[in-house]
Amino acid sequence: MNSTRIYLDNSATTPLRAEVAAAMHDSLESANYNPSSLHAEGRRARTALEDARERAAAVLGAARNEIIFTSGGTESDNLAILGALAAAPPGAHMVTSAIEHHAVLATAEQLRARGIETTVLPVGSDGMAATADLADALRPSTILASIMYANNEVGTIQPIAELAAIATARKVLFHSDAVQAPSWLPIDVRGLGVDMLSLSAHKFGGPKGIGLLYLRRGAPLASVLHGGGQEFARRPGTQNVAGAVGLAVALELAARERAEASARVAALRGRLETEIIVKIPDARINAHGAPRIPSISSVSFAGTESAALLIALDLAGVAASAGSACTSGALEASHVLGAMGLEERWQRGAIRFSLGRTTTPAEIDRLLDVLPAIVAAQRRPFEKDLAGDG
Ligand code: PLP
């Protein structure tokens, strides 16, 4: 990337790490065969795949046969939810939260058309779900609860171990979308007590198109794709061996560097947020008081429009985003900020800066140099409107 650019969109995707690219390159050269083939070439691919599975499992505290490789976070979330409810009769129930990624919310919506009932837990103005709300929502017909570990728009960390314990005590399967977590939070699947957990490699320095679903041994899950028997018959299709190798290397690096990277990035974000509040009037940090992963800063500037701010930032060399809901290049109102009950003026001017392991103090300084003028320039037309002369 152009070194004068400042990349603050690491929640959308992270740069591929050099160590990961090197491992994938080796794998593509030596093991780009079908791991189901019985010949020597196939066995070489199988060895690479199973080594990657073993390594990913070790980081998560899982057994190797509890790791199902998928194409990414969206597929892992879909598999967890659709697979858990595949045999459920109409009237069966699931619980999720209002701040989930669309990969979870749209899947729950899809099931509703099949007669599956869904309770969407609210969050407070701090972006946190309440454990008591989950306990209240569970019914005898509840099959699954799906609540994310770290939110991708505001960064809030949900109390997964407590939520999973509530579900498990009622014999309800518990899934967590942990796509935003690996660089910043420990993920010990036994300690968390989850039955299923989704990851996506490109969110932590790995390649796109590969993810995994942790599936606790014995937890019931049907495949949603039909074909061969790969991935313990839960995800048929010839595996992406180099992708799995890249995922494993990236996950190990993320785990090894987590404590140091978290402390460093938390300090940078702290300075960014403090200075924004000092330098820019009518700004607010969303979910400020809640436990948050250190990388995400959701900031609202009253009297601005986030799309215009993003364009101005981009022209100034800063890549940021308005939140997650930007899949087709068009901005929609954020369902996360809406669920937090933010007033419209704060929702309209919301920007997500997401820092990464390579973000430097100098980059934050440069952002802080340009941001006040960008916000002020965006506010001018609105001020004119308000004064009635625009
Ligand atoms: N879940 C969360 C919390 C995410 O942030 C994302 C990506 O934005 C996804 C799921 C989807 O992951 P993928 O892009 O690998 O399909």
Side-chain angles (χ1 to χ4, degrees), residues 269-314:
R269 183 187 61 183
R271 194 157 62 79
L272 173 65
E273 293 186 343
T274 305
E275 292 284 307
I276 285 176
I277 295 301
V278 168
K279 289 186 166 178
I280 304 178
D282 285 328
R284 64 165 270 151
I285 312 296
N286 300 313
H288 185 251
R292 289 181 295 160
I293 52 171
S295 52
I296 296 182
S297 184
S298 168
V299 193
S300 292
F301 303 101
T304 69
E305 294 282 348
S306 45
L309 280 177
L310 288 182
I311 292 166
L313 281 164
D314 192 28

Side-chain angles (χ1 to χ4, degrees), residues 11-12 71-75 77 100-104 148 150-153 177-180 198-203 209-211 324 352:
S11 289
S71 65
T74 300
E75 188 188 331
D77 287 346
E100 299 298 311
H101 190 271
H102 287 298
V104 167
M148 72 199 321
N151 178 265
N152 48 297
E153 283 193 49
D177 174 339
V179 164
Q180 293 289 340
S198 301
L199 293 185
S200 179
H202 74 97
K203 305 289 188 177
I210 184 82
S324 70
R352 177 187 69 180

